[in-house]
Amino acid sequence: MFLKQGVPMGKILLAHGSGGKLTHELIKEVFHKRFSNPVLAEYTDSAILDYKEPLAFTTDSFVVNPLFFPGGDIGTLAVCGTINDLTMVGAEAQYLALSMIIEEGTDISLIERIATSIASVARINKVRVVTGDTKVVEKGACDKVFINTSGVGVLVAKKKPSVKNIRCGDKILLTGCLANHGLAVLSARQGLGLKGEIKSDCAALQGLLLPLLKKTDAVRFLRDPTRGGAATTLNEVAESTGLALNIREDALPIASKVRAATELFGIDPLYIANEGIALLIVAQESEPEALRFLRQHPLGRRACSIGTVSKEPKSKVILETSLGTKRIVEMLSHDMLPRIC
Amino acid sequence: MFLKQGVPMGKILLAHGSGGKLTHELIKEVFHKRFSNPVLAEYTDSAILDYKEPLAFTTDSFVVNPLFFPGGDIGTLAVCGTINDLTMVGAEAQYLALSMIIEEGTDISLIERIATSIASVARINKVRVVTGDTKVVEKGACDKVFINTSGVGVLVAKKKPSVKNIRCGDKILLTGCLANHGLAVLSARQGLGLKGEIKSDCAALQGLLLPLLKKTDAVRFLRDPTRGGAATTLNEVAESTGLALNIREDALPIASKVRAATELFGIDPLYIANEGIALLIVAQESEPEALRFLRQHPLGRRACSIGTVSKEPKSKVILETSLGTKRIVEMLSHDMLPRIC
């Protein structure tokens, strides 16, 4: 591959982004080969989606640094993140649009590894990459590879989860442990050499959550606490609803090596980005059933209740510490950890 | 705006991409303010689109350098480019997803200018920005601003234009002059100081083309010859169909100052990117009607016929020069002009 005369082997050239021969070769050999499906095979400027239902539509750019980290890479992150954005509104992901901005001089093998990740996660989750775009910028004009994935899905939830449904007394659940993704990326970036490598839990959550959303209308609200961490998601809810979200420090699910690392570095796990968990707010009476349901799934084994919605203090997130004291959890106001997704 | 204590005024900080307070402020003040619509106002991870028809779905990343050029900027380009990708399959653009990757230290006023352009072009073309994403990367990790726009549109063409419909004897039309966009960006980048400034013709073509596509099934094929220029589009068609595309040099519509500039710099206008024109292939008998129709619209005043599809030589693009000689027009195989869109 890419052995043509005059073309250096295995490196991205500006010409790979020129729209000409090399662009075609790159798209065909690196992308179409991996994402092959009839919609994509039409080679049209837009994919045609045949739908008779309300749809969900989302977009996300991924700029994670480093591109590869324990438990995933920018490709898995892009597909999972976009599927999750659809899941969070109660939609089943169907189609992805993939756009890559690549730095001149990047190894083509690296693009292939990423494309392979994308194809593999897409296949497992039964979503199809149906359209795409590739740009190449000069050396130094971007940091290796940025990916944008947009997604279209079909609404399947019995009732669309929405912040508007949240009521006093509702229970706050997490589907899994906090902070794994952010710490995995941080440790890969800084070469922290944490004992017992922390892996990103980066995963598409539709298999875990959509069956619950199809079965019951108990899920009032659903969000994946990515950038800004759980603290930011909780604050968003508190601000939108005017209600208080009370969480118990003791109840927060944190893996022991993650807890050790956050203590070592003095980072609050509530502010660290997650990519494989969701925060649910459910009706009080549905809590036991929701937890039972989630725990049956491999991605929900550590599902737990972390707190309760109350009326006062208005628009605040309150943490009850292990010592029994209470403190306000503010929204993240600085750059905790950039380039995390 | 952005006058909060401790926050430097008017510059993008990494914290603007952290998902926290500043991200919210940026999204609210810079984006939502300009794109306000009920779907976007839901603040959900995905936009919900209510549709009962087949849809078109497209994505495009924009990395143009410089961000502002005569006749447009990265924002107008992003919206027009995405609308045009939908138009080319016979779809009317309805919804856009907007994702920006911004370099730390970028002036917020610059992002506002771009957002204003996006909002203005979107409004004129009756498309709504319904979902979005903002990432900030460290200084040096990207070149100021990259934009990804994905679009969803509804199919309205009587017959979907497709390369499969092309037949021997069909006529090749252009809706306007070649090379304006590429030369405008080039001259802005290099500060060429061309006499009589060349402006990009960057425009959304749905107003020009969709009425034709709704009215008749005469348009066999439709594409906007962007990166790689008209030569690349023609070669793509020749390769897909196995047919020959014969074009006449004398017939190519090129503005006189554009022609002068291409001659001065020794660049072939057939390889220069366009953003405000389309290449149509129509049934022979429909040529006069299609030209009449196109010329009624301000964006189609210079519409003209540039050649004919024939059987031989297979899969080639042939240019009949002003001197009467013939030469093969190859697909672009090098980096003619990167960062053009």
Side-chain angles (χ1 to χ4, degrees):
Chain A
M1 217 190 93
F2 299 105
L3 298 174
K4 300 255 162 74
Q5 274 191 333
V7 176
M9 278 169 61
K11 291 281 179 193
I12 290 288
L13 308 177
L14 281 172
H16 280 116
S18 69
K21 254 189 194 162
L22 288 181
T23 307
H24 279 246
E25 208 164 287
L26 181 71
I27 291 170
K28 201 174 135 204
E29 293 297 321
V30 177
F31 299 118
H32 277 239
K33 231 186 194 173
R34 288 170 172 79
F35 307 147
S36 105
N37 67 60
V39 185
L40 187 64
E42 291 286 318
Y43 276 88
T44 47
D45 285 319
S46 298
I48 304 300
L49 318 177
D50 200 351
Y51 268 117
K52 304 257 176 276
E53 296 124 307
L55 296 178
F57 179 31
T58 190
T59 192
D60 217 337
S61 287
F62 295 86
V63 297
V64 66
N65 170 26
L67 297 173
F68 299 86
F69 47 83
D73 60 46
I74 190 171
T76 49
L77 204 56
V79 178
C80 292
T82 299
I83 292 175
N84 289 347
D85 278 346
L86 293 168
T87 305
M88 297 308 134
V89 296
E92 187 167 70
Q94 305 267 329
Y95 294 111
L96 293 183
L98 169 69
S99 179
M100 295 185 102
I101 301 173
I102 309 173
E103 184 183 17
E104 175 190 18
T106 300
D107 288 328
I108 291 175
S109 63
L110 185 145
I111 307 299
E112 290 182 308
R113 273 176 72 190
I114 294 170
T116 299
S117 288
I118 293 172
S120 150
V121 183
R123 199 175 310 112
I124 292 166
N125 288 285
K126 299 195 177 67
V127 300
R128 295 191 288 177
V129 177
V130 291
T131 187
D133 179 54
T134 311
K135 292 288 188 308
V136 176
V137 297
E138 310 91 316
K139 211 165 175 55
C142 87
D143 190 5
K144 294 182 205 81
V145 181
F146 297 150
I147 294 182
N148 177 280
T149 36
S150 296
V152 168
V154 59
L155 288 186
V156 295
K158 207 166 166 187
K159 180 173 180 169
K160 199 181 86 180
S162 163
V163 77
K164 292 169 193 159
N165 304 331
I166 299 172
R167 299 285 173 267
C168 272
D170 283 356
K171 294 295 178 181
I172 306 163
L173 316 183
L174 280 176
T175 62
C177 287
L178 285 169
N180 290 51
H181 173 72
L183 273 182
V185 173
L186 176 68
S187 85
R189 189 186 307 169
Q190 312 286 15
L192 295 181
L194 296 171
K195 209 162 50 175
E197 193 183 64
I198 295 170
K199 272 193 181 175
S200 167
D201 54 354
C202 171
L205 297 169
Q206 59 180 12
L208 169 67
L209 295 167
L210 292 182
L212 183 64
L213 295 172
K214 282 181 193 173
K215 188 174 166 259
T216 160
D217 57 6
V219 181
R220 315 268 213 198
F221 173 81
L222 184 56
R223 185 159 291 172
D224 52 340
T226 56
R227 271 187 298 174
T232 297
T233 301
L234 292 165
N235 269 286
E236 286 168 350
V237 173
E239 275 186 17
S240 307
T241 58
L243 297 169
L245 273 69
N246 308 277
I247 56 172
R248 300 182 312 278
E249 192 169 30
D250 283 346
L252 297 176
I254 302 174
S256 54
K257 54 189 172 186
V258 170
R259 184 180 299 280
T262 56
E263 282 169 3
L264 186 64
F265 300 113
I267 330 177
D268 186 340
L270 279 173
Y271 290 98
I272 294 182
N274 307 282
E275 285 292 342
I277 62 168
L279 184 144
L280 287 77
I281 297 183
V282 302
Q284 187 174 10
E285 64 277 14
S286 312
E287 185 194 45
E289 192 205 343
L291 284 174
R292 253 198 317 275
F293 195 97
L294 292 170
R295 287 174 183 157
Q296 288 166 13
H297 193 279
L299 293 173
R301 276 183 299 114
R302 294 286 304 261
C304 59
S305 180
I306 62 163
T308 309
V309 179
S310 70
K311 205 168 169 191
E312 302 281 353
K314 283 198 196 314
S315 307
K316 295 284 178 221
V317 179
I318 306 295
L319 180 79
E320 188 183 326
T321 67
S322 317
L323 307 168
T325 61
K326 288 186 176 182
R327 66 170 176 89
I328 292 176
V329 178
E330 302 280 2
M331 189 177 271
L332 179 65
S333 62
H334 55 289
D335 50 322
M336 178 75 180
L337 203 54
R339 310 277 304 275
I340 206 72
C341 60
Chain B
M1 219 190 90
F2 299 103
L3 297 173
K4 300 255 162 72
Q5 276 190 330
V7 176
M9 278 170 58
K11 292 279 178 194
I12 290 286
L13 309 177
L14 281 174
H16 280 116
S18 69
K21 255 189 192 160
L22 288 181
T23 306
H24 280 244
E25 207 165 287
L26 180 72
I27 290 170
K28 200 175 134 203
E29 293 297 320
V30 177
F31 299 117
H32 277 237
K33 231 185 192 173
R34 288 171 171 81
F35 307 146
S36 106
N37 67 60
V39 185
L40 188 63
E42 291 286 318
Y43 276 90
T44 48
D45 285 319
S46 297
I48 303 301
L49 318 177
D50 201 350
Y51 268 118
K52 305 258 175 275
E53 296 123 308
L55 296 177
F57 179 32
T58 189
T59 192
D60 218 337
S61 287
F62 296 85
V63 296
V64 66
N65 170 26
L67 297 173
F68 299 86
F69 47 83
D73 61 45
I74 190 171
T76 50
L77 203 56
V79 179
C80 292
T82 299
I83 292 175
N84 289 346
D85 277 345
L86 293 168
T87 304
M88 297 307 134
V89 297
E92 188 167 70
Q94 306 266 330
Y95 294 112
L96 292 183
L98 170 69
S99 180
M100 295 184 101
I101 300 173
I102 309 172
E103 185 183 16
E104 176 190 19
T106 300
D107 288 330
I108 290 175
S109 63
L110 185 144
I111 306 298
E112 290 181 309
R113 272 176 73 191
I114 294 169
T116 299
S117 288
I118 292 172
S120 150
V121 182
R123 199 175 311 112
I124 293 166
N125 287 284
K126 300 194 176 68
V127 300
R128 295 191 288 177
V129 177
V130 291
T131 188
D133 179 53
T134 311
K135 292 289 187 307
V136 177
V137 297
E138 311 92 315
K139 210 165 175 56
C142 86
D143 190 6
K144 295 181 205 81
V145 180
F146 297 149
I147 294 182
N148 177 280
T149 35
S150 295
V152 168
V154 59
L155 287 186
V156 297
K158 208 167 166 187
K159 181 173 179 168
K160 199 181 86 180
S162 162
V163 77
K164 291 169 192 159
N165 304 331
I166 299 172
R167 299 284 174 268
C168 273
D170 284 356
K171 294 294 178 183
I172 306 163
L173 315 183
L174 280 176
T175 62
C177 287
L178 285 169
N180 289 52
H181 172 71
L183 273 181
V185 173
L186 177 68
S187 85
R189 188 186 306 169
Q190 312 286 16
L192 295 181
L194 294 172
K195 208 161 54 175
E197 194 182 64
I198 295 169
K199 272 194 181 175
S200 167
D201 54 353
C202 171
L205 298 170
Q206 59 179 12
L208 169 67
L209 294 167
L210 291 183
L212 183 64
L213 295 172
K214 282 180 193 172
K215 188 174 167 262
T216 159
D217 57 7
V219 181
R220 316 268 213 198
F221 173 81
L222 184 57
R223 184 160 291 172
D224 53 339
T226 55
R227 272 186 298 174
T232 298
T233 301
L234 292 165
N235 268 286
E236 285 168 351
V237 173
E239 275 187 18
S240 307
T241 57
L243 297 169
L245 274 70
N246 308 276
I247 55 172
R248 300 182 311 278
E249 192 169 30
D250 283 346
L252 296 176
I254 302 174
S256 55
K257 55 188 172 186
V258 170
R259 185 180 299 280
T262 55
E263 281 168 5
L264 186 62
F265 299 113
I267 329 176
D268 186 339
L270 279 173
Y271 290 98
I272 295 182
N274 308 283
E275 284 292 343
I277 62 167
L279 185 145
L280 287 78
I281 297 183
V282 302
Q284 187 174 10
E285 63 278 13
S286 312
E287 185 195 42
E289 192 205 343
L291 285 174
R292 254 198 316 276
F293 195 97
L294 292 171
R295 287 174 182 156
Q296 287 167 13
H297 193 280
L299 294 173
R301 276 183 300 115
R302 295 286 303 261
C304 60
S305 180
I306 62 162
T308 310
V309 179
S310 69
K311 205 165 168 193
E312 302 280 353
K314 283 196 196 318
S315 307
K316 294 285 177 220
V317 178
I318 305 295
L319 180 79
E320 188 183 326
T321 68
S322 317
L323 306 170
T325 60
K326 289 185 176 182
R327 67 171 175 88
I328 293 176
V329 178
E330 301 279 3
M331 187 177 272
L332 180 65
S333 61
H334 54 291
D335 50 323
M336 178 76 181
L337 204 54
R339 310 277 304 273
I340 208 71
C341 60

